[in-house]
Amino acid sequence: MKYRLETEMVHGVHQTDPHTGALSMPIYQTSTFVFKDSEQGARRFKGEESGYIYSRLGNPNTDVLGEKMAKLEGYEAGMVTGSGMAAVSNVIFATAQAGDHIIIDDTVYGGTHYLVEDEIRHLSIEVSRVDAADLNQVAKAMQKNTKMVLIETPANPTLKIIDIAGVVDIAHQGNALVCVDNTFLTPCNQLPKKYGADIVLHSATKFISGHGDVVAGVVVGQKDFIKKAFKIATHYGWTLAPFNAWLLLRGLKTMALRVERSQENSVQIAQWLEKHHAIERVYYPFLESHPQYELARRQQTGGGAVIAFELKGGYEAGKFLMNNVKLCTLAVSLGDCDTLIQHPASMTHAGMSEEALKEAFITPGMVRLAVGIEHVQDLIEDLDQALVKYRG
Ligand code: LCS
C-alpha cells in the first residue's frame, strides 16, 4: 500500500526491531559484523549470500535511510554519504570519467562550485558552466561526450528556478543524465522524478536532519546507477556513520511538519520584507515579484524556507543587520529549526571569483535568511529592530 508523503515519512521503510519489537530502530553502532564460519564470510564477500560484512560496505541504519529516501523521491534505489559534498562528488564520479564532459548551472552552493572548478577540472573531466534557467544555453553547451547536467533548483543562494523538464528534454536528446540537487525543497515541495530527472541528491545536513546536528548526503536513482555509485563511495570511503543515519531517520519523521511551518514563516517574512523601507529587493520563489514565479508555482508545491534579499544600504547595511539580530543566528547552513542568517559573498560563496559571482547574480549586498520554525512574529520583530537601528 502506498501512502501519502507525510505518512511515508513517518512509516516508510520498516524500522521496527524484529528481535525486541522496539519501535525505534536500534543504532547498529558497529564497524564490523560477525560471520558464523569462514565459509559464510567467503560467501558474503563473493556476493553469494546477502548479509552485512563491514560498515563501510553497508550497515542497517544507512541502508534503511537510503531506501526510505528513494521511496520518498520515487526512485528505485538510494544511498547515503558522509556529507552533501560526498553526494555531489559521488554523482560526478559515477557519471563521468576523464575525457567526458558535464554541464553545471552557474548558481550552485559554493562547495559544489569549488569542487568542480578546483578538483573535477583537474581530472580531465570537461566542465561547462551555464545559466540553465536559459535552456538555449544548456542546448548550446551539449557535446557528444556530455554525460550529466547538474542543477540546483531553487539555486543557492539566489533562489533562481530552473525548468527541470526543459533541461531533461535537452539532456536526454544527447543521452546525458540529469541530476537535481533537491536540498532546498525536499520531496515535500518538489519531486524532480515527475519531470524526468535521472538522479536526485541532497545535503541531508539540512531539512532531513532539521536540527543542525548532522552532516550527511543522499543520492537516489535507478538501481543500476546506485549500484555503481555505491561501489565508488565504498572505494573512496564516503560512508556515513550509523548514528548519523539514525538521527536522519528520526529527522525524517518530523520533516513534513518542519518544512510546512518554516515555509509558512518564510512566506510571511518575505512579504513583510518586501514592504520594508530598508529593503531594496527580495527573492523568494512564491512571491509574485520573483522573475520565475509562474515556473516555481508549476514545478514546486511550496516556496521553501530560504529567502535572499538586498538592503538599500548595500553590504554595510547587511553587515549591520547580521551583527544586530538577536534571535536570528549568524551561521551558514539552512533547513534547521533555528533561523540562520548569513552573507553569501563573504561566507558560503566566498571562494568564487568576482566574475563567477557576477554570473551567478550573487551581489555583494545579498543576505540569505534560512527560516526556522520559531514563532514568525518573533522573527519579524527581531529583523525589524535590527533594520530600524541602521543609520547608514
Ligand atoms: N548542495 C546544496 C544545495 C547545499 O546547500 C550544500 C551545503 C551542499 C550541497 C553540500 O552539503 P554538505 O556537504 O554541507 O552537507 N550548503 C550549505 C550552505 O548553504 N551553508 O552551509 C552549507
Side-chain angles (χ1 to χ4, degrees):
M1 170 103 184
K2 191 161 168 29
Y3 295 105
R4 288 162 187 81
L5 206 72
E6 292 82 350
T7 310
E8 293 288 1
M9 273 182 229
V10 178
H11 296 271
V13 178
H14 191 69
Q15 292 169 47
T16 309
D17 178 28
H19 303 298
T20 62
L23 171 70
S24 166
M25 190 184 191
I27 306 167
Y28 292 88
Q29 191 70 27
T30 185
S31 56
T32 198
F33 296 83
V34 180
F35 307 129
K36 254 191 340 230
D37 49 36
S38 59
E39 287 79 9
Q40 185 184 49
R43 282 197 303 278
R44 292 213 178 151
F45 269 94
K46 270 196 201 148
E48 291 170 357
E49 176 186 303
S50 65
Y52 290 102
I53 296 174
Y54 181 67
S55 280
R56 177 165 46 75
L57 310 174
N59 173 286
N61 297 113
T62 53
D63 283 3
V64 165
L65 177 60
E67 209 184 314
K68 195 165 181 182
M69 281 308 300
K71 196 167 183 191
L72 295 175
E73 289 280 4
Y75 288 86
E76 285 177 3
M79 55 173 282
V80 295
T81 54
S83 69
M85 284 318 302
V88 179
S89 310
N90 210 333
V91 167
I92 296 175
F93 279 46
T95 51
Q97 293 180 336
D100 290 336
H101 171 243
I102 62 169
I103 299 174
I104 179 167
D105 185 60
D106 58 15
T107 312
V108 289
Y109 167 56
T112 303
H113 177 89
Y114 314 143
L115 168 73
V116 166
E117 294 302 321
D118 300 347
E119 313 298 339
I120 299 300
R121 283 189 197 277
H122 300 311
L123 300 176
S124 301
I125 295 173
E126 234 186 304
V127 182
S128 297
R129 250 189 13 235
V130 304
D131 176 3
D134 173 2
L135 294 176
N136 289 328
Q137 289 195 29
V138 181
K140 258 200 198 149
M142 287 291 293
Q143 300 177 180
K144 277 208 180 73
N145 57 346
T146 307
K147 300 293 182 196
M148 198 257 299
V149 183
L150 173 62
I151 56 172
E152 282 176 18
T153 179
N156 186 353
T158 63
L159 287 310
K160 174 176 84 173
I161 311 293
I162 296 167
D163 178 353
I164 301 171
V167 171
V168 166
D169 240 17
I170 296 163
H172 284 185
Q173 278 175 40
N175 293 322
L177 300 175
V178 173
C179 175
V180 176
D181 182 333
N182 205 22
T183 299
F184 266 43
L185 290 182
T186 82
C188 299
N189 283 322
Q190 177 168 271
L191 290 169
K193 175 78 164 35
K194 248 174 71 180
Y195 307 103
D198 305 282
I199 309 155
V200 169
L201 74 83
H202 284 271
S203 165
T205 316
K206 311 298 171 349
F207 292 96
I208 297 170
S209 155
H211 294 74
D213 48 16
V214 182
V215 172
V218 169
V219 183
V220 297
Q222 281 188 336
K223 249 193 198 136
D224 285 353
F225 174 79
I226 294 298
K227 200 172 161 195
K228 185 176 175 188
F230 187 70
K231 183 166 163 253
I232 293 170
T234 61
H235 287 168
Y236 281 94
W238 292 328
T239 313
L240 183 71
F243 179 52
N244 286 354
W246 185 89
L247 284 171
L248 296 168
L249 285 167
R250 188 169 76 152
L252 272 180
K253 293 204 179 202
T254 57
M255 186 163 80
L257 287 173
R258 289 184 283 102
V259 166
E260 194 180 309
R261 171 61 173 261
S262 56
Q263 84 185 357
E264 274 169 21
N265 285 354
S266 301
V267 171
Q268 288 192 51
I269 294 171
Q271 287 170 345
W272 173 80
L273 281 171
E274 204 166 39
K275 288 191 212 114
H276 201 285
H277 62 85
I279 303 294
E280 178 73 36
R281 178 93 218 247
V282 182
Y283 304 89
Y284 181 70
F286 273 22
L287 278 183
E288 279 181 42
S289 58
H290 191 287
Q292 295 150 300
Y293 174 72
E294 298 296 328
L295 173 60
R297 280 278 177 191
R298 215 167 53 234
Q299 194 166 266
Q300 309 173 189
T301 51
V306 180
I307 304 169
F309 56 95
E310 287 175 51
L311 290 105
K312 286 195 178 135
Y315 178 47
E316 285 308 314
K319 230 167 56 177
F320 184 89
L321 171 68
M322 287 183 282
N323 287 334
N324 284 278
V325 281
K326 297 187 168 108
L327 178 61
C328 301
T329 305
L330 181 57
V332 296
S333 204
L334 57 109
D336 286 334
C337 293
D338 308 50
T339 296
L340 307 178
I341 192 164
Q342 68 111 3
H343 178 241
S346 70
M347 296 175 190
T348 48
H349 295 71
M352 287 170 70
S353 66
E354 235 173 80
E355 188 197 345
L357 283 170
K358 260 195 199 140
E359 278 168 13
F361 296 99
I362 302 170
T363 57
M366 182 176 281
V367 172
R368 189 186 79 183
L369 191 71
V371 180
I373 62 169
E374 302 94 334
H375 196 292
V376 69
Q377 211 47 46
D378 288 328
L379 295 172
I380 287 177
E381 284 167 18
D382 184 41
L383 290 165
D384 195 43
Q385 63 78 27
L387 286 171
V388 299
K389 259 199 269 178
Y390 182 63
R391 294 278 170 269

